[in-house]
Amino acid sequence: MREVVRPAWLLLLLGTTLCFECCAAAGGPAGRRLAEAGPAAASAPGTADVIVVGAGLAGTAAARDLAKQGLQVILLEARSRVGGRTWTRELPAGGGKTVKVEMGAAWVHGLVNNPIVPLAKQAGVSLAAEITDYENNVLYLPDGREASGAQETRWEGLFSDFEDFVAGEQAANEESGRDPGIGALLSRFIAVEELTGLDRLALLSLANTNIEHEYAAPLAKLSLYYDSDTALDGDDKFVTGGYQRLAEFLARRLDVRLGHVVTSIDSSKPGSIAVAVQGKGTLTAQRVVVAVPLGVLQKGAIRFLPSGLAPANEAALGQLGMGLLNKLFLLFDRPWWTDVQTIEVWNRVSGRGSGAWQETFNLWPITGQPLLVAFNAAGYAEQLEKKSKQAVKDEYMALLRSSFGADAVPDPVSYDVTAWGSDPYAYGSYSYARAPLAGEEGYNRAHLDCAKPMAGGRIFFAGEHTRTDYPATAHGALLSGQKAARDLLKSLPGFATAAQGAGPCDMVEGFPAGSNATGCGGSGLRGRRRRLRFAARGR
């Protein structure tokens, strides 16, 4: 979702509530708290100016920005750690050593003007020395043989034709807003091209790795306008120093309360908002930022009182889906895959067209660790969550041994498996645009309405699902938290000037000025994140 600041973070992980040194002097109108102008005994442990629910990148970014303006902020997190869907674990490597694995976000996508880059530098979190080369891949056929160059060229041409077919349908249907969905278009394309046998399976494989893995959604549910997001310029790099440490860095000197499961948010009283915490009573604040994953809101895990979510917010939840992308980590004592030791991405064509085990990242050339990370998305990922971790591992080990030879593949030293769909504080990996949507305008409206303030401008929302430009990304989550903080400040007497002066990346010290409306100075151009060859971008 470890390297942690100690001893304070050690106490946090044990469930202790810590309030770090106040950072009110960092900004705000003379550090003035809202309690000075209103009823809220802000010195009470259960009372604050602002309560932020969720301590992922969105929540920690919002809380930090608000605290820098002199507001008293309480940051509530249901888990026993901060980070949310940035979660760094350590696998035993033998001899008392461990190797970091990223259970959630793992790459920085688009290195140019990406706020994660300066934040990582500021936090002392290292990135890989080299960019990830998705073109450095190999493709295996269902029988384990390597595909020929001619086969790859033909299949990549077919997928390019399909992308052009989708683009034509988007243009043709934009005005009417008709949305048949990507799955229906793929079936139509296969029928028109009369694809059968290996050609059909290869196209399904490309659609799985380039679309289902990228957007974590089954093609049958994905909107025709699924790719209306924006890609930052530049290449990608793997985070080697622990992605979760970014959220830990943002949470420093904040009043972070772990193990606090929020069950309801009651805005029925005009003077304060009551936040009920399971088994821990009720806290109050004048403003609340809800920075939990889309899946948590869709499950109704938090009740909004007195009358539920606002109609626009509720409708938006039904227009987006919570996707699923899971990983299997296999750590070996050595890189036994000598023939493909420097190949970063291993792809395979599933013999059943199910999307099973079609993409594996070899982290040996990236991190120097004999670690394989196998991905499954959408429907097949959902199937695997019904199995035990050992069963998932055994299934993939059987596949490796059938491809490389039983004697060539040793047992792993250790392994782990993610199951984000079963996680009660996420219910999935990241958001996607669900079919049908009313054109790109419908895409924009769904995301914007998820972020729409409610309760008279007293409850705000943040999270990757609230961004039209960078949904489903770590930088999108970070930017959403900063935007929620700015919007909240604008709602407070005396803080509007501070909000207007803050740019979307000002929270990250040293970030270049000139940020544009789409984020932190990226191209701002909408368009498909086109992937060449079989490898999709890692998550």
Side-chain angles (χ1 to χ4, degrees):
M1 235 302 134
R2 155 111 5 252
E3 294 181 3
V4 208
V5 180
R6 291 183 172 87
W9 277 111
L10 180 59
L11 293 175
L12 273 179
L13 292 175
L14 292 174
T16 303
T17 297
L18 294 182
C19 184
F20 291 91
E21 180 184 353
C22 180
C23 53
R32 178 168 62 87
R33 296 207 318 267
L34 287 178
E36 298 172 359
S43 59
T47 305
D49 298 326
V50 182
I51 291 174
V52 178
V53 183
L57 283 177
T60 54
R64 175 164 164 167
D65 272 12
L66 293 167
K68 285 175 69 175
Q69 296 302 323
L71 298 175
Q72 183 173 4
V73 180
I74 295 175
L75 179 56
L76 303 179
E77 170 55 49
R79 303 178 189 276
S80 60
R81 60 175 178 82
V82 300
R85 286 167 286 167
T86 59
W87 181 19
T88 308
R89 296 196 66 185
E90 294 185 347
L91 290 183
K97 297 181 179 179
T98 60
V99 171
K100 290 186 181 69
V101 294
E102 297 298 343
M103 307 292 279
W107 275 265
V108 177
H109 293 300
L111 295 170
V112 177
N113 290 339
N114 189 321
I116 297 294
V117 175
L119 176 59
K121 182 177 181 180
Q122 193 177 342
V125 174
S126 59
L127 307 182
E130 303 294 333
I131 63 170
T132 300
D133 184 3
Y134 302 107
E135 294 293 295
N136 180 16
N137 64 51
V138 62
L139 175 64
Y140 294 104
L141 302 176
D143 61 7
R145 292 181 299 116
E146 187 175 338
S148 68
Q151 286 174 315
E152 286 199 51
T153 299
R154 168 172 168 72
W155 295 331
E156 287 160 12
L158 278 174
F159 186 72
S160 180
D161 290 343
F162 173 65
E163 287 189 305
D164 291 340
F165 177 65
V166 171
E169 289 293 309
Q170 288 172 332
N173 290 288
E174 175 64 30
E175 186 173 340
S176 68
R178 179 177 172 272
D179 185 356
I182 293 299
L185 291 186
L186 181 60
S187 296
R188 193 196 314 171
F189 182 83
I190 289 173
V192 169
E193 296 293 327
E194 299 181 344
L195 299 179
T196 59
L198 198 53
D199 285 345
R200 175 180 170 276
L201 292 176
L203 182 62
L204 291 175
S205 174
L206 278 161
N208 173 259
T209 55
N210 284 269
I211 301 178
E212 288 191 322
H213 280 226
E214 183 85 355
Y215 294 90
L219 296 175
K221 296 182 179 180
L222 199 57
S223 168
L224 172 61
Y225 308 98
Y226 73 102
D227 59 354
S228 296
D229 51 346
T230 304
L232 286 174
D233 295 331
D235 295 301
D236 298 354
K237 276 193 174 183
F238 189 81
V239 176
T240 55
Y243 225 126
Q244 184 180 343
R245 289 178 58 206
L246 300 181
E248 292 171 350
F249 176 80
L250 293 174
R252 295 183 314 163
R253 296 185 293 275
L254 296 177
D255 181 353
V256 183
R257 306 190 184 186
L258 303 178
H260 279 59
V261 180
V262 172
T263 57
S264 69
I265 299 173
D266 187 348
S267 59
S268 59
K269 293 182 179 180
S272 66
I273 301 173
V275 178
V277 179
Q278 183 177 321
K280 299 181 186 295
T282 299
L283 293 79
T284 59
Q286 294 193 31
R287 299 288 189 274
V288 170
V289 177
V290 180
V292 300
L294 173 70
V296 173
L297 294 174
Q298 290 176 326
K299 286 286 186 179
I302 299 175
R303 292 185 302 140
F304 290 85
L305 304 174
S307 54
L309 284 169
N313 301 74
E314 187 69 42
L317 295 184
Q319 294 171 323
L320 300 178
M322 192 62 174
L324 189 57
L325 180 68
N326 279 327
K327 308 176 187 180
L328 163 66
F329 303 90
L330 295 175
L331 179 63
F332 296 91
D333 61 355
R334 67 188 188 283
W336 52 263
W337 46 94
T338 53
D339 291 344
V340 288
Q341 202 168 92
T342 62
I343 303 298
E344 295 182 35
V345 189
W346 306 350
N347 291 112
R348 64 180 291 270
V349 176
S350 171
R352 296 173 293 169
S354 64
W357 306 109
Q358 294 195 148
E359 187 160 56
T360 298
F361 275 79
N362 166 26
L363 293 191
W364 175 255
I366 300 174
T367 67
Q369 300 292 345
L371 181 65
L372 299 180
V373 185
F375 288 78
N376 284 287
Y380 201 74
E382 188 175 347
Q383 290 183 39
L384 289 180
E385 288 205 3
K386 300 174 183 177
K387 299 184 178 183
S388 68
K389 288 187 176 184
Q390 181 174 334
V392 173
K393 182 263 294 181
D394 290 346
E395 180 177 311
Y396 185 66
M397 287 295 295
L399 181 63
L400 284 178
R401 285 169 173 155
S402 69
S403 299
F404 291 92
D407 295 336
V409 183
D411 289 333
V413 174
S414 57
Y415 70 94
D416 207 347
V417 181
T418 67
W420 287 105
S422 306
D423 187 319
Y425 306 128
Y427 290 112
S429 302
Y430 45 88
S431 65
Y432 68 89
R434 184 197 298 268
L437 286 176
E440 189 168 316
E441 174 57 32
Y443 167 95
N444 289 335
R445 180 51 52 199
H447 291 87
L448 291 173
D449 282 352
C450 278
K452 195 170 184 178
M454 57 174 278
R458 294 185 295 145
I459 298 177
F460 298 81
F461 295 88
E464 48 84 11
H465 58 284
T466 66
R467 300 292 297 194
T468 62
D469 46 9
Y470 310 125
T473 64
H475 54 275
L478 178 70
L479 291 170
S480 77
Q482 294 178 278
K483 182 180 186 302
R486 293 196 306 277
D487 290 344
L488 188 153
L489 289 172
K490 292 175 185 177
S491 76
L492 301 177
F495 285 83
T497 301
Q500 291 171 358
C505 297
D506 289 352
M507 183 266 310
V508 183
E509 296 172 11
F511 198 86
S515 302
N516 64 27
T518 65
C520 294
S523 65
L525 299 176
R526 291 198 175 276
R528 287 176 289 165
R529 294 179 284 183
R530 195 177 179 92
R531 298 286 157 256
L532 300 176
R533 300 178 65 84
F534 273 76
R537 296 210 306 190
R539 286 287 183 182

